[in-house]
Amino acid sequence: MTLVNSTLLNSSFISNFSFGKPQKPEGTNNLLLRRIICPIRCNATTTTTNVNASERKSANYQPNLWNYDFLQSLKCDHADIRYEDKAKKLLEEVRRMIKDENTDIWIKLELIDDVKRLGIGYSFDMEIGEALHRCLSSETFIDTITHNHRSLHETALSFRVLREYGYDVTTDIFERFKDYNGNFKAILSRDVKGMLSLYEASFLSYEGEQILDEAKAFTSFHLKGALKEGRSNTMILEQVNHAMELPLHHRIQRLEARWYIESYAKRKDANMVLLEAAKLDFNIVQSTLQTDLQEMSRWWKGMGLASKLSFSRDRLMECFFWTVGMVFEPQLSDLRKGLTKVASLITTIDDVYDVYGTLDELELFTAAVESWDVKAVQVLPDYMKICFLALYNTVNEFAYDALKEQGQNILPYLTKAWSNMLKAFLEEAKWSRDKHVPKFDDYLNNAWVSVSGVVILTHAYFLLNHSITKEALQSLENYHALLRRSSTIFRLCNDLGTSKAELERGEAASSIVCYMRESGASEEGAYKHIRRLLNETWKKMNKDKVSQSPFPKPFIEIAINLGRISQCTYQYGDGHGAPDSTVENRIRSLIIEPIAI
């Protein structure tokens, strides 16, 4: 029986070649010259294991919610030149608004915030940067923001917007809102709009900025009271409720755009040019996403993994949604599709380690990936053959494309990331078999690697198609702090959302369980500790955005977005492994259903 679908082995894939263990990049022409196209077939009776199906674990994952025929039926209605031409005209009007130097600074900041939250800010990065630079260069702006001349809302808004765009603004501007005892003035609690702005701003804090910790506690307490007592107009309270569910800084941009477009449309002072431009742009981008999704759906069906590995999660749509959370811009389709392939393979192989494989089999698979030798497939059990070859051919294709287009052999960096993740998977499998609960630090040192963030970000760096630098390559190889922090956020969010289900499946280790065992804390206390650690990690990553980095700004934003999609996916449980109606509705609003115009 042929285990590798012909789609997997078409002429765009690299196969039947051993690259050996990950090494330093070789000569740029070597990989290109040695790209051999030869179908790999695996006889299903070659290797078997003496494990009965009844002895293997089962996670009883729910079936796929999004079938192939439905995805292929999507119409991509706004992929039409008429809509694009109309959107271009509207966006040019918005561009003129942003560039207008006669507009009051504070009105301009409100405009920039609306443009960003409506989801069209990506079209005006240069213009917004220039406008913010003019603000900071203005003596009037500096004077009014540092003295008693602007409201709490204006001060907090300017702070948040400037930090969002990478300006290292001081927190001293909030000192004037404190009383003689060093507490925020009680009278501020009456200003619900100002409190909401300060609450949102507090999530862009760095380590050691105590005033923003105090601001978060102060505003959180009083905003909850305002919600309970109805102390503001309906629209402001709707925004407060939205922020208390998840702060703006932790939300994925495209879902926020959908929500904000619908909220903004209710405003009496709404700028109709902005609103119409945002609606059209959302629908046009959605059509691009639908086209990408349909291509990935065909790829996934051709791979045959879901049909042959019934124990694994069939989550193509959820993987695609995840990548949209990391990168939604229409011009970055290739990056989005590449990351969808990576996420889909991670999901399948994760189920091999978590659910189906025996420890002996997992050790064989881990060694095969570390060697990156196609001959290793001969010693693998049947179900692992297709996993290995799917991974081998897909990663080699990425490497070939990079060598062909950029003259860089990226294969050693990709295989190292995959190999290290699988070693971390294997360590967790050993813990599970032995019912071992490691020390909290030991768990986390392994878990930030096993969560797959490094694999995703390593691929993302190369798929960006930017100038690859030696400094960035060294930082990838040495696991730069940016990769560690976004992966830690990913892991902690994952544990907060999935620990209960994993315990039921017999998976012993999670940050919750490890902390409870080591510290003697209650389950509630452990959850509080993990949330506190999550908050501190966000502070470090906020600082990364304004610090000197070996990575380009788009990659830093993708790493931050990895944290955001993690917050979104695991906000109410396991949105990837066990998607519920909330997840389905989010996917529909972002990818399936256009905004009425």
Side-chain angles (χ1 to χ4, degrees):
M1 178 173 64
T2 301
L3 289 186
V4 186
N5 188 284
S6 59
T7 304
L8 175 65
L9 299 168
N10 66 26
S11 60
S12 67
F13 281 79
I14 304 169
S15 56
N16 201 30
F17 181 76
S18 169
F19 289 89
K21 292 183 180 180
Q23 301 170 353
K24 291 292 182 181
E26 55 185 276
T28 54
N29 290 325
N30 228 1
L31 181 62
L32 183 62
L33 292 173
R34 299 193 307 189
R35 179 179 184 252
I36 301 171
I37 307 303
C38 177
I40 302 173
R41 293 179 180 270
C42 304
N43 190 321
T45 61
T46 300
T47 309
T48 58
T49 54
N50 297 319
V51 181
N52 294 325
S54 60
E55 295 178 41
R56 297 186 185 274
K57 290 190 293 183
S58 172
N60 295 315
Y61 291 122
Q62 67 189 58
N64 176 27
L65 298 174
W66 312 92
N67 68 54
Y68 175 82
D69 291 338
F70 172 75
L71 299 184
Q72 292 302 313
S73 73
L74 297 175
K75 301 298 184 184
C76 310
D77 288 330
H78 286 81
D80 188 293
I81 192 68
R82 293 173 302 161
Y83 296 114
E84 291 181 4
D85 286 345
K86 186 174 181 181
K88 283 179 183 177
K89 291 177 183 177
L90 290 166
L91 291 173
E92 281 306 311
E93 289 188 50
V94 177
R95 194 183 313 277
R96 284 194 290 273
M97 294 178 202
I98 297 171
K99 294 180 73 171
D100 186 355
E101 297 184 21
N102 296 319
T103 304
D104 178 82
I105 288 174
W106 305 98
I107 294 175
K108 181 67 64 69
L109 285 170
E110 294 274 10
L111 171 66
I112 290 170
D113 186 46
D114 285 336
V115 164
K116 188 171 188 291
R117 295 190 70 174
L118 286 166
I120 53 178
Y122 73 95
S123 296
F124 310 108
D125 282 338
M126 185 176 71
E127 292 81 4
I128 289 173
E130 290 171 352
L132 293 177
H133 181 72
R134 285 195 298 273
C135 284
L136 286 172
S137 302
S138 166
E139 291 184 9
T140 304
F141 176 79
I142 301 298
D143 180 64
T144 55
I145 202 171
T146 52
H147 296 89
N148 265 343
H149 303 306
R150 308 312 304 190
S151 68
L152 176 60
H153 164 69
E154 290 170 324
T155 304
L157 174 68
S158 62
F159 176 87
R160 175 173 61 78
V161 169
L162 287 165
R163 280 212 172 174
E164 282 175 349
Y165 280 93
Y167 292 92
D168 195 2
V169 191
T170 177
T171 59
D172 292 347
I173 60 175
F174 296 114
E175 291 290 349
R176 63 189 177 86
F177 295 103
K178 287 189 163 188
D179 59 25
Y180 290 111
N181 295 318
N183 301 314
F184 279 98
K185 297 173 182 177
I187 196 173
L188 294 174
S189 64
R190 300 178 188 174
D191 178 10
V192 178
K193 183 178 180 180
M195 297 282 284
L196 176 58
S197 293
L198 180 56
Y199 176 77
E200 294 283 28
S202 71
F203 285 89
L204 284 101
S205 64
Y206 310 147
E207 283 186 296
E209 292 184 325
Q210 185 178 348
I211 192 171
L212 290 182
D213 292 337
E214 295 168 1
K216 186 184 296 181
F218 176 75
T219 55
S220 179
F221 176 80
H222 288 290
L223 288 173
K224 287 175 183 176
L227 277 176
K228 187 176 180 180
E229 299 166 18
R231 279 192 283 110
S232 191
N233 65 60
T234 303
M235 180 161 288
I236 291 292
L237 291 178
E238 182 183 272
Q239 293 173 4
V240 170
N241 187 61
H242 184 67
M244 299 304 286
E245 285 180 357
L246 194 67
L248 173 62
H249 185 54
H250 294 173
R251 289 183 177 272
I252 62 172
Q253 296 172 54
R254 216 59 190 162
L255 265 185
E256 174 62 17
R258 177 81 191 227
W259 181 86
Y260 197 73
I261 287 169
E262 293 172 355
S263 176
Y264 186 81
K266 301 173 188 175
R267 282 171 45 173
K268 294 179 180 179
D269 64 340
N271 182 316
M272 298 312 294
V273 172
L274 273 188
L275 182 60
E276 191 175 356
K279 287 181 176 181
L280 262 178
D281 181 79
F282 185 92
N283 288 348
I284 291 169
V285 172
Q286 187 182 75
S287 287
T288 300
L289 298 180
Q290 289 176 356
T291 302
D292 293 348
L293 175 61
Q294 288 174 330
E295 183 179 336
M296 287 297 92
S297 177
R298 293 189 292 272
W299 165 81
W300 185 237
K301 183 179 181 181
M303 292 290 279
L305 290 175
S307 60
K308 291 186 180 296
L309 306 177
S310 59
F311 61 83
S312 66
R313 289 165 290 178
D314 184 3
R315 296 289 182 268
L316 185 277
M317 174 64 100
E318 288 76 13
C319 289
F320 183 75
F321 177 77
W322 184 280
T323 64
V324 173
M326 292 180 66
V327 53
F328 73 86
E329 293 83 349
Q331 70 273 21
L332 295 176
S333 282
D334 287 344
L335 170 56
R336 194 159 41 246
K337 289 182 286 189
L339 292 183
T340 301
K341 292 180 180 181
V342 171
S344 299
L345 291 172
I346 289 170
T347 300
T348 299
I349 295 171
D350 182 45
D351 290 338
V352 169
Y353 279 75
D354 271 1
V355 177
Y356 198 76
T358 68
L359 200 58
D360 288 343
E361 292 168 350
L362 300 180
E363 287 174 341
L364 285 175
F365 193 86
T366 305
V369 172
E370 184 176 20
S371 73
W372 208 249
D373 187 342
V374 73
K375 294 176 184 176
V377 76
Q378 297 170 11
V379 302
L380 297 176
D382 299 332
Y383 77 94
M384 280 185 167
K385 286 183 171 74
I386 190 170
C387 290
F388 179 82
L389 290 172
L391 175 63
Y392 183 83
N393 284 335
T394 304
V395 172
N396 282 350
E397 183 189 22
F398 289 138
Y400 173 73
D401 288 343
L403 184 61
K404 180 179 66 174
E405 296 166 10
Q406 298 174 277
Q408 292 275 355
N409 179 13
I410 67 172
L411 189 64
Y413 302 98
L414 301 183
T415 55
K416 178 186 175 182
W418 279 97
S419 177
N420 286 348
M421 182 186 72
L422 296 189
K423 289 175 185 176
F425 279 6
L426 183 61
E427 185 69 13
E428 291 177 349
K430 291 177 181 177
W431 290 341
S432 180
R433 181 199 62 179
D434 299 338
K435 304 298 181 185
H436 173 63
V437 179
K439 290 186 177 298
F440 180 79
D441 287 345
D442 292 339
Y443 167 79
L444 202 54
N445 284 335
N446 188 77
W448 74 262
V449 179
S450 71
V451 79
S452 79
V454 172
V455 172
I456 293 170
L457 291 175
T458 300
H459 280 276
Y461 176 77
F462 294 116
L463 286 165
L464 264 173
N465 281 326
H466 53 85
S467 178
I468 296 173
T469 68
K470 183 178 180 181
E471 187 182 7
L473 290 177
Q474 290 174 343
S475 297
L476 282 177
E477 197 167 30
N478 297 326
Y479 293 159
H480 187 276
L482 181 67
L483 278 67
R484 288 175 177 263
R485 284 164 189 161
S486 55
S487 295
T488 299
I489 290 171
F490 184 0
R491 168 50 68 193
L492 297 178
C493 289
N494 178 284
D495 282 2
L496 288 169
T498 67
S499 60
K500 285 183 172 63
E502 288 178 347
L503 278 172
E504 289 172 3
R505 290 201 299 268
E507 297 169 31
S510 75
S511 58
I512 307 294
V513 172
C514 292
Y515 186 75
M516 289 171 64
R517 177 73 63 88
E518 186 173 330
S519 69
S522 64
E523 185 175 351
E524 182 182 357
Y527 272 92
K528 284 182 179 178
H529 175 76
I530 299 306
R531 291 191 183 99
R532 191 160 49 244
L533 183 57
L534 181 61
N535 185 47
E536 291 303 309
T537 309
W538 268 110
K539 289 180 183 179
K540 293 174 183 176
M541 198 152 67
N542 290 341
K543 187 66 175 178
D544 289 338
K545 188 166 183 175
V546 299
S547 302
Q548 188 173 2
S549 174
F551 299 117
K553 286 184 178 179
F555 179 75
I556 295 171
E557 193 64 27
I558 287 172
I560 294 171
N561 285 341
L562 176 61
R564 289 175 175 140
I565 188 60
S566 303
Q567 294 270 185
C568 172
T569 299
Y570 301 109
Q571 184 178 3
Y572 300 115
D574 187 358
H576 188 74
D580 57 12
S581 59
T582 299
V583 175
E584 182 179 357
N585 290 337
R586 284 173 169 175
I587 290 173
R588 286 190 175 278
S589 69
L590 184 54
I591 299 171
I592 305 298
E593 298 169 355
I595 295 175
I597 296 178

